Amino acid sequence: MIGKVITCKAAVAWKAKEPLSIETVEVAPPSKGEVRIKILATGVCHTDAYTLDGCDPEGIFPVILGHEGGGIVESVGEGVTSFQAGDHVIPLYIPQCYECKFCKNPKTNLCQKVRVTQGKGLMPDGTTRFTCNGQKLFHFMGCSTFSEYTVVAEISLCKVSSKAPLDKVCLLGCGISTGYGAALNTAKVEPGSTVAIWGLGGVGLAVAMGCRAAGAKRIIGVDINKDKFEQAKVFGVTEFLNPKDHERPIEQVLVEITDGGVDYSFECIGNVHCMRAALEACHKGWGVSVIIGVAGAGQEISTKPFQLVTGRTWKGTAFGGWKSRDSVPKLVEDYMSKKLMVDEFVTFEMPLEKINEAFHVMHEGRSLRTVIKM
Ligand code: APR
Ligand code: ZN
């Protein structure tokens, strides 16, 4: 099908707050610097739901959502040198161009090369590759993995081992890498540390896995759903706190049971009150709190400045600080050599036709991750 339009199935979001609808779509060939991929599997993430619910100020419809995918290169556009047909790949919603000032700075992973067009749901040349019934469909986060075929920029893609199961390692395209990297790259947790994690969903459990890998001694999970506790042990959580079981604010309880506060805390919910509690549960003089959860549009955080004056640090991270094209293939290798868990995050597998059910179980808090198999 090189150079030809491909007709295939995709889950289309026609409007905010409406279920996705399975449609036959046309996927144009990749233009210069682009790659067309056959998607084999994709995770469903809160960011997809956030956009579908109309919460994302950048959200544009109609759109093909999805950004946690794995697939095989079908064809490449003009000038593409780093991929060829048959390569196993993971799309990357934060690209790595190696040229912009962000890519050249070791302190950040936030490549800005295609930021403006990606935010508008367009390919870097300002157009789209998807149509349905003659209507243009927008791209999402530079990935659009809820489609049997998609087109992404060469800089928004990495090649991974062909031995790795794509229906598992697709999850390294977002949630797992984000949490794991927040512990290792952003917080830089040290051996012997005491940490607290707000929210024991997929992201929070990936943080726990990173803290355990870094040698943390106490990993305290904070969640209002007690059903999350048993499963969390598998990922390294050693103690549990349910804010509902305590009269006092949970940060006070933490300060008391940790002799002054935790060395590191992580917010993996997207709740601005939990963000404040996570900061204030940190130890005076050195405690570091990392924000990972995405709060609703327009929400603001607050605390007393004295919290920072007395030596606590407030940080945030996107995609766990990983420089994407350099790091995701290595994370896949680490999974293959059993250094990091991925299989354990898969709660359900479903065909594309059942994708609305995947959103449903996520909203009900019943899934860490659902993998859609095409
Ligand atoms: N206090 C403590 N725990 C809470 C609270 C609260 N006020 N509110 C929710 N939780 C718990 C839920 O019970 C759930 O176990 O937080 C957890 C969130 O997990 P998931 O919904 O599975 O979300 P996850 O996929 O881990 O993503 C977490 O990161 O991707 C960002 O902003 C996005 O909301 C998302 C967050
Ligand atoms: Zn860049």
Side-chain angles (χ1 to χ4, degrees):
M1 295 302 284
I2 293 172
K4 299 226 168 64
V5 170
I6 289 180
T7 301
C8 68
K9 268 188 307 176
V12 176
W14 289 106
K15 274 194 194 139
K17 298 185 173 64
E18 279 186 11
L20 301 183
S21 122
I22 306 298
E23 306 279 359
T24 300
V25 302
E26 296 83 40
V27 185
S31 295
K32 188 174 171 191
E34 299 175 359
V35 180
R36 188 162 60 183
I37 310 160
K38 180 174 172 54
I39 296 289
L40 298 186
T42 177
V44 176
C45 172
H46 281 280
T47 315
D48 303 308
Y50 183 76
T51 302
L52 186 57
D53 292 344
C55 303
D56 180 359
E58 275 196 345
I60 301 164
F61 295 87
V63 63
I64 298 180
L65 299 170
H67 62 284
E68 223 177 41
I72 297 179
V73 172
E74 179 270 339
S75 63
V76 303
E78 187 192 325
V80 171
T81 52
S82 41
F83 300 96
Q84 58 184 44
D87 285 346
H88 288 217
V89 289
I90 293 180
L92 305 164
Y93 64 88
I94 297 180
Q96 188 179 0
C97 74
Y98 297 98
E99 285 168 0
C100 73
K101 71 175 172 186
F102 289 79
C103 279
K104 287 187 172 152
N105 189 331
K107 291 179 182 168
T108 182
N109 62 334
L110 301 176
C111 174
Q112 297 294 292
K113 180 87 172 195
V114 297
R115 175 73 193 92
V116 173
T117 45
Q118 179 172 317
K120 291 178 181 158
L122 302 169
M123 294 304 289
D125 72 353
T127 63
T128 81
R129 301 290 161 268
F130 297 118
T131 52
C132 180
N133 302 328
Q135 202 177 337
K136 180 167 92 173
L137 305 177
F138 289 101
H139 296 254
F140 179 64
M141 291 175 82
C143 296
S144 291
T145 57
F146 294 168
S147 176
E148 289 177 319
Y149 285 86
T150 190
V151 176
V152 307
E154 181 179 18
I155 62 166
S156 307
L157 192 67
C158 72
K159 187 174 163 175
V160 301
S161 163
S162 61
K163 295 196 189 82
L166 288 166
D167 58 353
K168 299 292 190 301
V169 297
C170 61
L171 299 183
L172 291 170
C174 182
I176 300 180
S177 303
T178 297
Y180 192 65
L184 296 179
N185 303 325
T186 312
K188 299 193 168 72
V189 171
E190 295 118 347
S193 303
T194 293
V195 311
I197 303 166
W198 266 254
L200 299 176
V203 174
L205 295 181
V207 169
M209 184 166 73
C211 291
R212 178 166 66 184
K217 187 178 66 195
R218 291 177 75 184
I219 303 177
I220 306 167
V222 180
D223 202 299
I224 48 173
N225 179 353
K226 63 176 175 9
D227 298 341
K228 298 279 172 175
F229 293 168
E230 198 52 43
Q231 178 182 43
K233 292 180 189 164
V234 177
F235 298 88
V237 176
T238 58
E239 294 162 60
F240 304 102
L241 282 181
N242 186 340
K244 288 182 177 167
D245 294 343
H246 297 270
E247 300 268 291
R248 288 176 299 152
I250 205 68
E251 60 275 25
Q252 282 181 24
V253 176
L254 271 155
V255 167
E256 198 177 285
I257 64 168
T258 58
D259 186 26
V262 299
D263 302 311
Y264 298 96
S265 69
F266 300 86
E267 201 281 351
C268 312
I269 302 163
N271 177 318
V272 292
H273 305 291
C274 296
M275 291 174 190
R276 178 175 191 159
L279 176 79
E280 297 183 358
C282 283
H283 204 289
K284 189 192 250 181
W286 62 76
V288 175
S289 188
V290 181
I291 294 175
I292 307 168
V294 179
Q299 301 220 301
E300 296 185 0
I301 46 171
S302 59
T303 188
K304 296 199 173 112
F306 202 62
Q307 290 284 331
L308 305 186
V309 169
T310 50
R312 294 172 196 83
T313 302
W314 220 346
K315 302 178 105 178
T317 182
F319 198 51
W322 299 108
K323 296 241 186 211
S324 61
R325 294 184 77 188
D326 289 344
S327 307
V328 172
K330 290 184 193 153
L331 290 168
V332 169
E333 291 306 322
D334 287 348
Y335 160 70
M336 297 297 281
S337 60
K338 300 204 180 329
K339 259 192 243 160
L340 80 90
M341 300 187 290
V342 175
D343 300 11
E344 291 78 356
F345 286 89
V346 181
T347 318
F348 300 105
E349 292 184 341
M350 294 178 192
L352 185 62
E353 287 72 16
K354 292 245 173 91
I355 193 158
N356 290 307
E357 172 77 12
F359 279 90
H360 182 65
V361 294
M362 180 171 72
H363 286 312
E364 285 198 324
R366 287 198 283 135
S367 63
L368 288 180
R369 277 296 185 269
T370 297
V371 172
I372 302 294
K373 290 176 139 183
M374 301 291 177

